[in-house]
Amino acid sequence: LYPNPAADKIAIDVTHMDGTGECVVTVYNIMGEKVAGKMLDRQPTGWQAEIGIGHLTPGRYIIQVTNGRQHHSKTFVKQ
């Protein structure tokens, strides 16, 4: 997840998750409300995507990546 903090977009590069199925990224605000989501594109080295966050208000957000079998979460700051 980079850059962090970010102003307009964040990039996600997931290489440590098992499986070959769909991988979904979801962004939640600190209240737990879904504010963005996207399917990740499968690449030979893992899943990758860019998510626009320019519409979000500044603050801390939680990003969750799931492929149906595994879930990983991180936080990021929107400037």
Side-chain angles (χ1 to χ4, degrees):
L1 171 67
Y2 56 93
N4 189 11
D8 296 321
K9 63 184 175 182
I10 54 173
I12 300 164
D13 188 1
V14 181
T15 59
H16 61 276
M17 291 180 76
D18 296 331
T20 58
E22 295 179 339
C23 197
V24 179
V25 62
T26 309
V27 179
Y28 299 95
N29 64 20
I30 207 70
M31 303 282 288
E33 300 166 325
K34 180 180 174 180
V35 294
K38 185 173 185 175
M39 297 291 294
L40 296 182
D41 297 324
R42 180 73 169 144
Q43 303 295 322
T45 57
W47 289 274
Q48 298 173 342
E50 283 189 354
I51 297 179
I53 59 168
H55 67 285
L56 301 177
T57 57
R60 186 173 299 276
Y61 291 84
I62 301 161
I63 190 160
Q64 182 182 60
V65 178
T66 182
N67 69 354
R69 295 181 355 170
Q70 294 179 303
H71 305 277
H72 295 280
S73 298
K74 288 195 170 209
T75 61
F76 71 93
V77 175
K78 170 27 171 117
Q79 292 181 321

